[in-house]
Amino acid sequence: MKILGIETSCDDTAIAVLEANNRGIKVLSNVISSQVKLHAKYGGVVPSLAAREHTKNIGHVFDLALKEAG
């Protein structure tokens, strides 16, 4: 079974693809797009900016994660 994990809770847009079987779980890909530099000038995460960046980055991160996972 393949599992797609998506994380957008704060200032990173991340997607991982895992493969689970009777031998265990293997990470096939783990792609992260960080927003640290964007939020640094504000001294912390700005939710409206984070949401906008997630929307902008999710497609690219998704494509990379699937490509890396094969």
Side-chain angles (χ1 to χ4, degrees), residues 24-58:
I25 298 173
K26 180 180 178 183
V27 177
L28 301 177
S29 68
N30 183 32
V31 178
I32 302 168
S33 176
S34 177
Q35 301 176 20
V36 170
K37 290 180 182 178
L38 174 69
H39 296 283
K41 59 185 166 188
Y42 302 105
V45 176
V46 178
S48 60
L49 288 177
R52 193 171 335 156
E53 289 298 302
H54 290 313
T55 301
K56 184 174 102 178
N57 295 326
I58 194 85

Side-chain angles (χ1 to χ4, degrees), residues 2 17 28-29 63-70:
K2 299 244 169 94
V17 179
L28 301 177
S29 68
D63 290 343
L64 281 176
L66 290 184
K67 183 177 180 181
E68 285 185 16

